[in-house]
Amino acid sequence: MDFDQAPRLVFWETTKACPLACVHCRATAQRDPAPDELTTEEGKAIIDELAGAPKPAPILILTGGDCLQRTDLRELTEYAKNLDVPVAISPSVSPSLNAATLSMLRANGVRNASLSLDGAVAETHERVRQIPGHFADTISAIKLLQEHGFAVQVNSAVMAQNVRELADIAALLVRNGVRTWEVFFLIAVGRGHAIAEIESHEYEDVCHFLVDAAQYGMTVRTVEAPFFRRVRDWRARQSDSSLDPAIEFRLGPLYRELRARLQEQMGEPTSRVLAPTIATRDGKGIVFVGHDGRVYPAGFLPLPLGSLREKGVLEIYRDDPMLKAIRNAEFHGRCGHCEYSDECGGSRARAYASTGDPLADDPACQHQRSTMTRVEASGPH
C-alpha cells in the first residue's frame, strides 16, 4: 500500500462507554456514552470515505470504550459490509460479548476480533481490569469468539507489574489457539499515568524475547515498539543460529529469565519467526478517530489534527504536515540518523509523551545511543 495516500488501519473510538475501569485505560472510559460522540450518519460517512479509498480498502477497527455498547452496531457493520469495507472489533469482555451479538457481527462480515489479557494469572489481570472473575471470563470469551469463526488477536500491555509473566502469557495464548499476540508497550496517556513502565534497558530484552515467542506458530506484533522490527532483522541476520542471543546482543537478565520460562513451558521452537514486515507507525499507515470525530496520528498520541465534522479522515491523513513529516521519517536526534528511520522510526507517541515533540527521539530505543553520545560529546569538527 501507498501509505501517503491512505492508512492500512483506521481506529474509530466509537464510544467512551465501557463497563470496565481499567487502571491503564488510554480512553479514560466511563459508564455512559459521551454526549458528543459521532452519530450513526457520521459513522457511515467514515465508511463511505474508506470505500472510496485506493484498494485494498483500509480496515476499520471499532474500538472504544467498548464498541459493543453502540446501539447502532448492527446498522454500521451491515453498511460497511454492503460497501466492502473490512471491519474488525476490539470489544471489552462483558455481558455484551455474547453469542447473539457475535452471530450478528459474523453475518455482517466481521471476521476479526481482539481482546485484552494483561496477565497469565487472574490476580495480575484483574488488578489491571478491576473486575473479579474477569480473567476466566476473558479465556471463555476467546473460546466463544473462536466457536463463532472469528480470528482472535489478544492484546497485552507491557508494564512493570506484569513483564515477568510475558512467557506464561505467550504459552497460555498458544495453548488456546490464539493466532496473533499484539504486545502494547505502555505510554503514559489517559489513566496510564498511574502505571509504571518497564525500565529503559528492558525494552531490548522484551523485544528479543518476543522474537523467541514468535517461533511457536503465533504471529507477534508490537504497538509503540517499532524497534521490534530492527531486533527481528538483527536476529534473522545472525550468521549462526546456534549462537546465544543473550551473548551476541549483550542482553540482560530479564531476557534470560523470559527465554528460560518460555522454553520450560513450550519446549523448542516449532515454526519460523512469525512477525509482520509492513513498516507502519503512528501516522504512517495508522490513524485514529476519537469519539467526538477529532483525528489523531494514533490512539496513544493525543495530538489533534482536525475534526471529521470539518474534513474527511483521509484528507486529514494525507494533507497534515505533521503526518507528512512522520511518513517521510523527518525525525530529530538519533531517530533521524538511524539506518532504521523508515522501517522503525521509533514510537512517535512515546517521543511526544516524553518531550512534547512527536518528531523527537524515542527514549525507549537503545540503538545508536552510545554512538550518538560520543558524537555529541566530541562537539563540532
Side-chain angles (χ1 to χ4, degrees):
M1 296 184 66
D2 181 356
F3 290 139
D4 287 330
Q5 296 303 311
R8 178 61 177 152
L9 305 175
V10 176
F11 292 86
W12 175 21
E13 182 188 56
T14 56
T15 181
K16 284 284 190 181
C18 182
L20 309 184
C22 304
V23 296
H24 66 324
C25 181
R26 170 209 55 78
T28 317
Q30 57 197 38
R31 279 285 175 182
D32 300 312
D36 54 352
E37 292 177 359
L38 293 179
T39 65
T40 302
E41 292 308 310
E42 289 172 323
K44 287 182 177 180
I46 297 175
I47 296 168
D48 285 333
E49 193 176 5
L50 299 187
K55 301 301 181 185
I59 300 169
L60 180 61
I61 301 175
L62 305 181
T63 180
D66 177 16
C67 62
L68 300 187
Q69 304 303 309
R70 287 282 300 208
T71 58
D72 56 359
L73 190 62
R74 179 189 298 271
E75 185 175 354
L76 288 168
T77 53
E78 184 176 28
Y79 191 76
K81 179 186 178 184
N82 291 336
L83 291 180
D84 292 324
V85 173
V87 173
I89 57 168
S90 184
S92 298
V93 173
S94 77
S96 298
L97 184 60
N98 54 51
T101 298
L102 295 183
S103 294
M104 177 273 291
L105 290 169
R106 280 286 293 172
N108 286 348
V110 182
R111 298 289 183 267
N112 295 276
S114 60
L115 300 178
S116 294
L117 183 70
D118 294 313
V121 295
E123 179 183 2
T124 306
H125 176 77
E126 290 168 14
R127 191 184 308 136
V128 174
R129 299 291 157 180
Q130 301 194 87
I131 301 289
H134 197 263
F135 179 83
D137 289 346
T138 299
I139 300 301
S140 296
I142 290 171
K143 295 175 182 177
L144 183 64
L145 283 162
Q146 291 168 336
E147 289 168 2
H148 281 78
F150 284 82
V152 179
Q153 170 182 304
V154 167
N155 305 328
S156 300
V158 178
M159 302 166 273
Q161 68 189 61
N162 72 352
V163 67
R164 284 180 161 74
E165 291 183 29
L166 289 179
D168 294 87
I169 294 174
L172 178 65
L173 300 185
V174 170
R175 286 197 294 267
N176 280 277
V178 172
R179 295 187 185 182
T180 303
W181 187 26
E182 191 152 276
V183 182
F184 287 63
F185 285 66
L186 188 70
I187 303 290
V189 296
R191 286 196 286 262
H193 285 285
I195 302 299
E197 300 179 37
I198 62 175
E199 297 295 331
S200 59
H201 63 273
E202 294 178 327
Y203 284 89
E204 289 286 300
D205 283 14
V206 172
C207 283
H208 277 274
F209 159 73
L210 293 178
V211 173
D212 294 344
Q215 297 178 66
Y216 291 89
M218 177 176 65
T219 298
V220 177
R221 297 199 292 249
T222 59
V223 174
E224 304 307 345
F227 39 81
F228 172 60
R229 301 182 195 121
R230 166 180 56 78
V231 171
R232 176 205 61 206
D233 289 352
W234 280 2
R235 292 281 295 273
R237 294 202 300 264
Q238 271 187 289
S239 58
D240 183 350
S241 60
S242 67
L243 295 176
D244 184 353
I247 297 173
E248 286 295 295
F249 300 103
R250 300 179 182 179
L251 302 177
L254 177 60
Y255 170 74
R256 298 170 188 268
E257 176 184 336
L258 292 175
R259 179 184 60 179
R261 182 61 178 165
L262 183 68
Q263 292 177 344
E264 178 185 334
Q265 292 276 303
M266 302 294 294
E268 293 300 314
T270 59
S271 72
R272 62 181 177 84
V273 175
L274 300 178
T277 58
I278 299 176
T280 57
R281 56 175 167 267
D282 302 341
K284 180 189 175 185
I286 294 170
V287 71
F288 184 89
V289 178
H291 73 282
D292 57 359
R294 284 187 284 184
V295 177
Y296 304 87
F300 289 97
L301 209 176
L303 183 66
L305 308 171
S307 173
L308 295 190
R309 289 171 169 149
E310 298 173 359
K311 294 181 180 180
V313 62
L314 296 186
E315 181 182 359
I316 293 172
Y317 174 84
R318 283 193 299 262
D319 298 342
D320 183 82
M322 180 58 66
L323 296 194
K324 287 183 177 180
I326 288 174
R327 292 196 292 272
N328 291 333
E330 297 172 5
F331 308 129
H332 310 150
R334 291 180 297 114
C335 285
H337 292 87
C338 183
E339 69 271 29
Y340 291 94
S341 61
D342 187 54
E343 184 180 1
C344 168
S347 166
R348 298 300 98 214
R350 187 175 295 104
Y352 182 72
S354 301
T355 69
D357 179 3
L359 299 178
D361 273 339
D362 179 350
C365 182
Q366 303 301 302
H367 184 46
Q368 289 199 343
R369 184 176 296 278
S370 58
T371 301
M372 289 301 296
T373 300
R374 289 195 298 270
V375 169
E376 290 164 1
S378 65
H381 295 280

